[in-house]
Amino acid sequence: MTEKLVYITRRERFNAAHRLFREDFSDEKNLEVFGKCSNPLWHGHNYTLLVTVKGPVDPETGFVMNLKVLSSIIKEHVIDKLDHRNINLEVDFMEGKLASTENLAIQIFEVLNKELSSFNGISVHCIKIQETENNFVEYFG
Ligand code: NI
């Protein structure tokens, strides 16, 4: 019998500052490549994070996993580290990475997949981040 996988999603929000830039670019070149996000004096975004997790339905509970538990894992390992922080300077899992939403999605995927490895059959399916009203990033691992 094939296992029926179900996908569940939890939404969280955080506000954070960042700057997109390369040290080896001039301010003019950074502005050209990264636009307003290259502002040397930082700026912030109100991010929305959608974490989709997949797994079989536990016959005892009818759940893939308890969403309250998922929410507290996301809060502890991701949101508490990002919310009201500077992504370039303060977030351990973004150290040495360009503070783009793409890199954020990859790192959050890795962090959460590791935290969920102790849950039988559960893994991260997708990390989706909305940075602005019109810009979304998705990472499927
Ligand atoms: Ni920005």
Side-chain angles (χ1 to χ4, degrees), residues 35-127:
K36 282 182 174 179
C37 280
S38 73
N39 177 15
L41 295 179
W42 316 104
H43 66 282
H45 294 280
N46 299 320
Y47 294 89
T48 299
L49 168 66
L50 293 163
V51 176
T52 302
V53 160
K54 66 182 168 195
V57 175
D58 182 341
E60 195 177 292
T61 59
F63 294 159
V64 170
M65 78 176 285
N66 187 319
L67 278 161
K68 267 191 177 170
V69 173
L70 178 59
S71 172
S72 48
I73 291 171
I74 300 168
K75 282 205 177 87
E76 183 185 343
H77 298 280
V78 176
I79 302 299
D80 287 353
K81 291 183 174 188
L82 285 165
D83 193 35
H84 289 74
R85 301 285 182 176
N86 182 315
I87 296 171
N88 295 68
L89 303 178
E90 295 183 274
V91 181
D92 57 2
F93 59 76
M94 289 298 287
E95 218 180 298
K97 312 264 183 236
L98 225 146
S100 67
T101 310
E102 288 85 338
N103 283 336
L104 206 47
I106 293 170
Q107 295 310 114
I108 291 172
F109 188 104
E110 302 298 339
V111 165
L112 291 178
N113 220 20
K114 191 171 153 232
E115 291 306 320
L116 291 175
S117 62
S118 54
F119 292 79
N120 227 351
I122 306 286
S123 61
V124 177
H125 172 65
C126 175
I127 297 297

